[in-house]
Amino acid sequence: MSGFPILSTMVLLPLLAAVVAVFLNDKAARWLALGTTLVLFAMGIALWLGYQMNGAQWQFVEKAPVFGAFSWALGIDGIALMLIVLSVFLMPICILASWDAIEKRVPEYMAAFLLMESLMIGVFSAQDLLLFYIFFEAGLIPMYLIIGIWGGVDRIYASYKFFLYTLAGSVLMLIAMLWMVNQAGTTDIPTLMNTDFPVEAQHWLWLAFFASFAVKMPMWPVHTWLPDAHVQAPTAGSVILAGVLLKMGGYGFVRFSLPMFPQASADLVWIVFGLSMVAVVYTSLVALVQSDMKKLIAYSSVAHMAFVTIGLFTFNRQGIEGALVVMLAHGLVAAALFLCVGIIYDRLHTREIDRYGGLANNMPYYALFFMLFTMASVGLPGLANFVGEFLALVGAYKANSWVAAVATTGIILGAAYMLLLYRRVAFGESRNADAAAMPDLNVREWLTLAPIALATIWMGVYPESFMAPMRKDVGVLLARIEKAAPAGDAQLTAGKPQIKKDAHGGHPAEAAKGAHH
Amino acid sequence: MESIKLIVFLPLLAAIIAGLGNRKLGNTGAKLVTTGALFISCALSWPIFLYFLNLGEIGAHDSAAAQFVVPVLDFIKSDGLDVAWALRVDTLTAVMLVVVTTVSSLVHLYSWGYMSEDDSQPRFFAYLSLFTFAMLMLVTADSLVQMFFGWEGVGLASYLLIGFWYHKPSANAAAMKAFVVNRVGDFGFSLGIFAVFLVFGTVSIPEILAAAPSHAGSTIGFLGYRVDTITLICILLFIGACGKSAQLGLHTWLPDAMEGPTPVSALIHAATMVTAGVFMVCRLSPLFELSETATTVVTYVGAATALFAATVGTTQTDIKRVIAYSTCSQLGYMFFAAGTGAYGAAMFHLFTHAFFKALLFLGAGSVIHAMHHEQDMRYYGGLRKHIPLTFWAMMAGTLAITGVGVAGLFGFAGFYSKDAIIEAAFASGTQSGQFAFGVAVFAALLTSFYSWRLIFLTFFGTPRWSMSEHIQHAAHDAHGDHGHDDHHAHGHSHDDPTLGYHPHESPLPMLVPLGVLTLGAVFAGIGFHHSFIGPEHGAEFWKGSLAFDTHLMHEMHGVPQWVKLSATVVMLLGLFMAWLAYIKDTTIPARFTATFRGLYLFLLNKWYWDELYDMLFVKPSLWLGRILWKGGDLGTIDRFGPNGAAAVAQLGSRMAARLQTGYLYSYALVMLLGLAGIATWAMTR
């Protein structure tokens, strides 16, 4: 910590490895990628351990001027820390998941993943507005390549769609950023987070940022790139897309929209709530009728991300902390579900749900893991998603009972589509001979699923490990936005307790106690 | 009292060992580990129960002795929302502890025999133990969130066990239905918890109950309405209870749940899990007592369920489904008992019901076992002589559920608990109580009728086994001609109604639980009624763990004689009707159904709830999903979004024409969008 530029190392090391990987043969490139991502995972753990929960807001800060106001400024708070830990945790798993599945242009593939890791860490640790923008947008490129080169049959359409959507949002964000830099005279994110922009301007800036983050989340109705991207992406691409890239939108809301434009966030909260409510119901219903496994999980991701947007804009601690936990939990669980799909896709080369069936017969351990992650996705208490969804909805209820009621229908629909998927894939007789002949998990596949399973249970049983580092930062955020917080619709009145008329009411003592209030 | 940790976590440990050890551990290993753990839990639970029982009688009354909380681990901490994993034990919990661990350990033992030919026994026993763990977490919950954890945990275990035979499509469908319908209840439960936190700033049950009176009469905004705070919370939580306890409207999953192995039905769908809703209402009884509207709703829903399920129970032919509807009906009794303020009676019926209903289910399992998996009572008959021990156990269960007994002398379990509920409903003096009383008496008539119908069809009369395909297969195999190419199998012995099949009594592991539960069905009522519902000892026994109403219990004993006798009279009447129709003149049922065809079909089809829900929810959801996908995502967003952007130049002028020629989906969606937008804007601004 003391002086060692750990964040810069974490950004630059995978970049360097990416360059080297291009010149290696397939086997060496795989091992290099695995080695590098494991080293980064270790560094991520070191970061977590070295992070002072009661220390400064920004830690591991590095700053080197580049030109003008623009500087190479890195630093993290607890929120960024947890997202970095999530990223470096998923990366080695991605490499393992691609070990045999990717056969063409392996060095380039590994290089793309390493590049992506570098950019992801960059996004979460950038403290300079323009630096953030570069990382944020450059992150598109490796993903674009991964889908476009190693993707499925319709990869070109999918990557085009992915690019078009994200680009459209980014342009507006860039314009807004330039205006902000001009206005505030600095590109320093921590400073900007405490700058009060005029309310009029806040609205336009908020909308410009919203355009970008809503696409990244993705929020309804700009979500249609996601199912196609997931379907066409190779397994590891889906894992990192669902696991980390979708979280950048939520991170953007926490880092920019809320603290920089609190008033606009409060004024325009109806947009967020409205779209999120539609998203929960709409995408859940759509998920119900999918016949492609990846599409189904992709749609479920949109529904889950709606919990994040709802939670973030509740303006209370439960909502925001819940949203952050959903981000982490979904990062684990959706990633694992895509791995589960990938494992059987590798065997049968189809994502068609009805080509499988009865896998519990011949792949019992696979069925066990799949069940665990299905239940986690459904929000079963004791597993990761529950904690986040519960808190987010508690927060939502405080903000508005309509939002909570509509969003909570997601727990019914979520159970319906996930259990339907599980039933069609794992239960029943083995309908197809080729599916029935598939072997159970091999060691490599165990190594990809087991760590996520353990993390999912850990987060579900003792979420404190993950929430504690973020607590202080949520507090800082709340302090910043509190004054703008809109009132809830509960409007609780004081009690007028009466002693029951009939004598056998049972609790004269308690009723009397209430009367003193 | 640290033993509570062992009680709760031993089953979890056993489940993990048996589940992950799967193949390596072997059948016997898995069975030993899980059953052993459960018997230890059970052995540790009874002393706790006896401690509370005796504490009451010696009259010790300080709050430290009346309850204790063992903390385990922090769970969720977010500002005021501070939830810990903790095990809370008081009288109410102690009652549930003995019910859960006793029935569970007996069911574990029973399954040694019942499941002995199954291929995946370790999985079965792991699920059973997992269920027990979740149920124990539920009953020891100190906060609503932990209760919800147990609530969902038992739901998971129930889902896994209903679908245990996962190669059967009907089992999978039933499992999924159970989970999803329960989720509808959870929707209410969740909103209830959110509302509780908003109002009280805590989810800790004791803190809620302590703060509740000060919120009586306050109002809160909910979905645009202003409603009474406590009523809102109670109704939302009660929706959760309805889901788990299969009350009218959310009951549809319970009969289907009979797809699971019979020991599962006994443990989960009769004795323990389905009573969680009753437990919840009793646990929160001081809260419910503050809202007259809420208790009235509870009363009406309970009474309606008791009636509905009893009527359906009279027409079912599957032995397990009869008992399932019977369970549903008895749960209705427990709810309206709670609704009329007789929480002690509700818990007492829960307690006795656990024993005699588990007994009836396990007895039915023994019958099914003897009859080679045949579950249709129309193909039973005359089994009394073949499986006498099972017969006598089932008789004890039937005497208990129908409430046979003589006041002041001796009665079977149900005589004390069910009659107490009926009398309390009358004594409550409220309009809803009177309604519940009337319904309860009529439902008791039906209960007696369908229970005796089950006994007569199964054990009396002449064998009608020859029509059963299961028995045909069994007889076929027994005759030694294993060749599956023998096409004459069905032809040769139709003159013999038994097909030469010999039902055999179940093995010892199955008979011992039947024996123990028979003791419960016979003595649980007389042994404990003073503690549970006695006006003198009730309050001492419950020690404030539920809203015990001493006054109501006094009233209950003072009801007119005809009220007290009514339950016994209808019981005898039901017995007589069943005897008439199924022993004396067996043509009566056919003549009756021919005369009242409409009514018969209505009952046989369970009031058409499934059809209704399919039409209202399932089909429209799928239909809407397809429309939103094809018409919304593909037809509108993509078409005008990314695809449109690419083709915008060519599209240009054609667009207007297309819109006019009518793309219904797009129109509909744009309209929907506009509406949603306006609605949200109006709501949230």
Side-chain angles (χ1 to χ4, degrees):
Chain A
M1 256 177 306
S2 55
F4 178 70
I6 186 167
L7 288 173
S8 293
T9 315
M10 289 178 77
V11 173
L12 295 177
L13 183 67
L15 200 62
L16 181 71
V19 175
V20 175
V22 179
F23 298 102
L24 296 175
N25 64 24
D26 291 4
K27 193 172 174 219
R30 284 190 186 111
W31 282 106
L32 175 70
L34 184 63
T36 311
T37 52
L38 283 174
V39 168
L40 275 149
F41 177 54
M43 292 172 80
I45 297 294
L47 215 53
W48 193 0
L49 295 176
Y51 184 81
Q52 310 282 322
M53 272 187 244
N54 298 314
Q57 186 190 358
W58 303 100
Q59 301 184 19
F60 306 102
V61 177
E62 302 166 26
K63 192 161 186 172
V66 180
F67 62 85
F70 177 49
S71 58
W72 175 265
L74 300 178
I76 53 169
D77 64 354
I79 298 169
L81 168 76
M82 292 323 294
L83 288 165
I84 290 176
V85 171
L86 174 70
S87 312
V88 296
F89 172 70
L90 287 176
M91 272 321 260
I93 292 171
C94 284
I95 303 296
L96 277 178
S98 317
W99 206 256
D100 297 330
I102 301 298
E103 287 161 346
K104 66 169 187 178
R105 299 195 186 186
V106 177
E108 287 88 346
Y109 180 89
M110 294 300 165
F113 264 85
L114 289 167
L115 174 63
M116 186 132 68
E117 178 160 31
S118 160
L119 296 171
M120 287 184 319
I121 296 170
V123 166
F124 294 131
S125 59
Q127 291 220 297
D128 182 281
L129 199 60
L130 296 178
L131 190 63
F132 171 84
Y133 184 79
I134 292 167
F135 284 132
F136 192 75
E137 294 309 323
L140 277 180
I141 298 165
M143 199 61 213
Y144 181 73
L145 295 175
I146 288 166
I147 297 174
I149 298 175
W150 292 276
V153 183
D154 280 332
R155 55 184 184 269
I156 302 300
Y157 174 70
S159 54
Y160 148 77
K161 210 168 166 182
F162 171 66
F163 200 75
L164 195 71
Y165 261 116
T166 21
L167 194 73
S170 307
V171 173
L172 293 171
M173 185 171 76
L174 180 64
I175 296 168
M177 282 180 165
L178 293 174
W179 191 89
M180 283 163 68
V181 172
N182 194 33
Q183 178 84 6
T186 176
T187 55
D188 184 46
I189 290 177
T191 312
L192 288 167
M193 284 169 73
N194 287 306
T195 305
D196 292 313
F197 292 98
V199 174
E200 277 301 294
Q202 275 194 26
H203 285 176
W204 293 109
L205 294 170
W206 189 92
L207 285 170
F209 275 84
F210 181 73
S212 177
F213 297 147
V215 168
K216 275 262 158 75
M217 273 313 292
M219 290 175 76
W220 187 88
V222 288
H223 66 283
T224 62
W225 63 270
L226 187 71
D228 283 311
H230 269 311
V231 163
Q232 299 304 328
T235 301
S238 287
V239 170
I240 217 67
L241 184 58
V244 184
L245 293 193
L246 295 193
K247 310 301 171 289
M248 291 185 178
Y251 180 74
F253 284 130
V254 177
R255 187 62 77 234
F256 298 91
S257 303
L258 281 166
M260 294 184 191
F261 325 119
Q263 192 54 48
S265 299
D267 294 344
L268 300 173
V269 71
W270 59 273
I271 298 182
V272 178
F273 282 169
L275 295 182
S276 305
M277 282 155 70
V278 174
V280 170
V281 178
Y282 180 113
T283 53
S284 297
L285 287 171
V286 173
L288 207 52
V289 295
Q290 296 305 311
S291 58
D292 180 309
M293 285 189 274
K294 274 188 152 183
K295 255 193 185 154
L296 195 155
I297 299 168
Y299 275 109
S300 88
S301 290
V302 183
H304 280 114
M305 287 300 108
F307 287 122
V308 175
T309 44
I310 287 174
L312 287 178
F313 284 88
T314 55
F315 287 80
N316 58 53
R317 183 178 279 275
Q318 286 83 24
I320 295 173
E321 289 192 340
L324 294 171
V325 178
V326 174
M327 281 162 65
L328 299 177
H330 179 266
L332 295 174
V333 174
L337 285 170
F338 280 116
L339 284 173
C340 284
V341 173
I343 283 167
I344 51 178
Y345 180 83
D346 286 347
R347 287 162 170 70
L348 216 56
H349 298 285
T350 175
R351 298 175 311 266
E352 197 63 33
I353 296 173
D354 289 332
R355 286 282 288 107
Y356 297 93
L359 295 191
N361 292 306
N362 50 314
M363 302 175 73
Y365 283 111
Y366 172 80
L368 178 67
F369 277 115
F370 194 13
M371 172 57 76
L372 179 84
F373 295 123
T374 298
M375 282 298 153
S377 172
V378 162
L380 196 83
L383 298 173
N385 287 38
F386 169 75
V387 180
E389 285 176 19
F390 177 77
L391 284 173
L393 289 170
V394 166
Y397 189 93
K398 276 181 158 180
N400 187 303
S401 58
W402 269 105
V403 176
V406 172
T408 309
T409 59
I411 72 165
I412 305 173
L413 294 167
Y417 62 70
M418 283 313 290
L419 293 185
L420 197 60
L421 170 69
Y422 191 83
R423 176 178 154 195
R424 288 158 75 187
V425 171
F427 286 155
E429 299 282 0
S430 308
R431 286 190 302 275
N432 307 299
D434 47 0
M438 299 194 304
D440 208 347
L441 302 179
N442 62 30
V443 176
R444 183 179 56 80
E445 289 159 343
W446 265 95
L447 287 176
T448 59
L449 291 181
I452 306 185
L454 291 177
T456 304
I457 296 171
W458 179 9
M459 197 183 284
V461 174
Y462 192 68
E464 185 60 14
S465 308
F466 305 89
M467 291 172 71
M470 303 193 292
R471 186 159 290 135
K472 176 199 72 206
D473 303 291
V474 175
V476 171
L477 176 62
L478 277 171
R480 172 95 182 123
I481 62 178
E482 232 157 28
K483 58 182 183 292
D489 70 337
Q491 310 283 333
L492 189 69
T493 63
K496 306 183 278 265
Q498 298 160 339
I499 297 164
K500 274 201 160 187
K501 286 181 289 285
D502 47 344
H504 70 254
H507 298 284
E510 284 180 14
K513 195 174 73 190
H516 293 303
H517 271 255
Chain B
M1 290 298 183
E2 288 288 312
S3 67
I4 186 68
K5 278 190 188 171
L6 280 179
I7 295 174
V8 174
F9 290 109
L10 268 182
L12 174 66
L13 192 66
I16 293 172
I17 293 172
L20 294 183
N22 211 336
R23 310 268 143 101
K24 289 188 190 76
L25 202 61
N27 284 347
T28 317
K31 289 196 282 194
L32 274 178
V33 168
T34 52
T35 314
L38 254 299
F39 270 93
I40 296 173
S41 279
C42 182
L44 292 171
S45 296
W46 276 95
I48 293 182
F49 177 67
L50 294 175
Y51 164 81
F52 283 104
L53 195 67
N54 294 325
L55 195 67
E57 279 169 7
I58 53 173
H61 207 86
D62 72 302
S63 61
Q67 55 170 302
F68 57 93
V69 177
V70 180
V72 179
L73 191 70
D74 281 339
F75 184 25
I76 303 176
K77 284 204 284 190
S78 179
D79 211 8
L81 188 80
D82 193 346
V83 186
W85 297 106
L87 307 174
R88 169 192 169 83
V89 183
D90 56 12
T91 308
L92 185 60
T93 301
V95 170
M96 294 304 287
L97 280 182
V98 292
V99 167
V100 173
T101 55
T102 307
V103 178
S104 181
S105 50
L106 291 173
V107 164
H108 272 78
L109 178 61
Y110 181 92
S111 304
W112 283 60
Y114 194 84
M115 301 299 286
S116 61
E117 283 159 26
D118 203 276
D119 292 332
S120 26
Q121 293 175 47
R123 189 164 60 89
F124 181 79
F125 281 85
Y127 288 169
L128 275 189
S129 293
L130 176 71
F131 164 79
T132 313
F133 160 71
M135 190 71 205
L136 290 171
M137 286 298 276
L138 195 166
V139 301
T140 55
D142 193 38
S143 72
L144 286 176
V145 176
Q146 186 182 326
M147 189 187 274
F148 192 68
F149 166 82
W151 198 264
E152 295 293 283
V154 293
L156 168 68
S158 162
Y159 163 81
L160 292 171
L161 283 164
I162 295 169
F164 177 73
W165 287 314
Y166 57 76
H167 46 84
K168 270 169 71 182
S170 58
N172 296 329
M176 205 183 134
K177 187 171 170 186
F179 200 95
V180 175
V181 173
N182 265 295
R183 276 276 154 145
V184 178
D186 296 344
F187 170 77
F189 195 170
S190 305
L191 285 177
I193 299 177
F194 305 154
V196 162
F197 181 67
L198 177 79
V199 173
F200 298 104
T202 175
V203 289
S204 151
I205 293 169
E207 288 174 27
I208 295 165
L209 297 183
S214 64
H215 285 280
S218 76
T219 63
I220 190 172
F222 183 70
L223 305 184
Y225 295 95
R226 285 214 75 79
V227 292
D228 183 75
T229 309
I230 304 285
T231 303
L232 173 74
I233 291 172
C234 288
I235 300 280
L236 287 173
L237 293 172
F238 179 62
I239 293 173
C242 282
K244 198 58 75 194
S245 294
Q247 292 300 287
L248 193 63
L250 294 178
H251 66 281
T252 55
W253 64 273
L254 182 59
D256 289 20
M258 298 301 122
E259 288 289 341
T262 308
V264 172
S265 311
L267 174 61
I268 299 182
H269 306 119
T272 56
M273 182 186 85
V274 289
T275 62
V278 182
F279 168 78
M280 184 233 262
V281 173
C282 289
R283 173 58 91 204
L284 299 174
S285 50
L287 189 67
F288 277 80
E289 278 298 293
L290 293 171
S291 166
E292 216 171 300
T293 317
T295 51
T296 307
V297 169
V298 174
T299 309
Y300 278 116
V301 170
T305 308
L307 178 69
F308 152 77
T311 59
V312 176
T314 58
T315 58
Q316 300 300 305
T317 55
D318 182 311
I319 187 169
K320 284 181 70 182
R321 283 191 180 242
V322 174
I323 309 178
Y325 277 106
S326 161
T327 304
C328 194
S329 173
Q330 298 302 313
L331 290 166
Y333 273 89
M334 296 174 209
F335 271 112
F336 77 70
T340 52
Y343 299 100
M347 281 307 295
F348 189 36
H349 198 50
L350 187 161
F351 180 75
T352 59
H353 176 262
F355 293 110
F356 63 70
K357 191 51 67 68
L359 174 63
L360 284 170
F361 260 120
L362 293 184
S366 181
V367 172
I368 294 166
H369 191 73
M371 291 300 281
H372 213 264
H373 306 295
E374 178 56 67
Q375 301 194 9
D376 195 324
M377 297 190 301
R378 287 172 298 182
Y379 309 140
Y380 289 168
L383 285 171
R384 186 175 73 239
K385 301 183 198 80
H386 298 273
I387 44 175
L389 295 174
T390 304
F391 166 68
W392 284 111
M394 290 286 275
M395 277 299 284
T398 304
L399 292 171
I401 190 176
T402 54
V404 173
V406 179
L409 206 61
F410 176 80
F412 290 88
F415 174 73
Y416 295 94
S417 57
K418 197 167 71 171
D419 289 15
I421 288 176
I422 293 174
E423 287 159 20
F426 183 86
S428 72
T430 58
Q431 201 186 351
S432 55
Q434 297 303 319
F435 171 78
F437 168 72
V439 165
V441 172
F442 183 59
L445 170 73
L446 297 174
T447 305
S448 173
F449 175 75
Y450 67 65
S451 301
W452 289 111
R453 171 176 174 263
L454 185 154
I455 292 288
F456 295 152
L457 278 174
T458 305
F459 295 104
F460 289 81
T462 50
R464 300 178 298 275
W465 314 340
S466 61
M467 288 174 296
S468 160
E469 281 183 27
H470 296 269
I471 300 294
Q472 284 164 10
H473 284 298
H476 181 151
D477 289 347
H479 287 309
D481 42 0
H482 288 283
H484 291 285
D485 51 347
D486 180 2
H487 295 294
H488 306 289
H490 299 293
H492 64 87
S493 54
H494 265 238
D495 43 339
D496 175 9
T498 69
L499 288 177
Y501 180 76
H502 298 291
H504 44 92
E505 189 59 274
S506 298
L508 206 57
M510 290 168 69
L511 292 177
V512 170
L514 285 181
V516 177
L517 289 170
T518 301
L519 290 179
V522 176
F523 298 110
I526 194 164
F528 295 105
H529 73 106
H530 286 299
S531 302
F532 279 78
I533 51 172
E536 292 84 22
H537 302 292
E540 285 172 18
F541 174 67
W542 291 110
K543 290 182 262 300
S545 60
L546 52 69
F548 188 79
D549 190 340
T550 308
H551 179 76
L552 180 63
M553 293 296 116
H554 271 297
E555 293 272 300
M556 190 180 93
H557 284 270
V559 294
Q561 199 60 31
W562 67 268
V563 173
K564 287 190 172 174
L565 281 177
S566 59
T568 309
V569 170
V570 294
M571 180 268 291
L572 292 172
L573 197 60
L575 168 62
F576 176 70
M577 282 162 55
W579 173 81
L580 205 63
Y582 294 98
I583 302 244
K584 183 75 174 39
D585 180 359
T586 50
T587 62
I588 289 179
R591 292 211 311 271
F592 183 86
T593 54
T595 316
F596 301 97
R597 185 123 197 99
L599 176 67
Y600 172 69
L601 287 179
F602 182 64
L603 297 184
L604 187 68
N605 289 294
K606 314 143 203 164
W607 297 24
Y608 296 101
W609 281 97
D610 284 331
E611 289 76 4
L612 186 73
Y613 282 175
D614 198 47
M615 202 172 74
L616 283 182
F617 300 113
V618 180
K619 292 221 173 85
S621 296
L622 296 173
W623 175 80
L624 202 60
R626 243 171 246 120
I627 295 231
L628 292 175
W629 179 36
K630 299 277 189 193
D633 271 21
L634 303 181
T636 308
I637 298 173
D638 277 359
R639 196 151 66 89
F640 298 120
N643 301 1
V648 77
Q650 323 160 16
L651 209 69
S653 59
R654 274 192 293 152
M655 184 117 127
R658 277 199 188 187
L659 274 173
Q660 278 156 15
T661 51
Y663 276 79
L664 185 70
Y665 291 153
S666 320
Y667 276 133
L669 192 86
V670 170
M671 245 166 65
L672 198 74
L673 274 185
L675 279 176
I678 292 167
T680 31
W681 180 75
M683 266 156 12
T684 53
R685 90 201 192 87

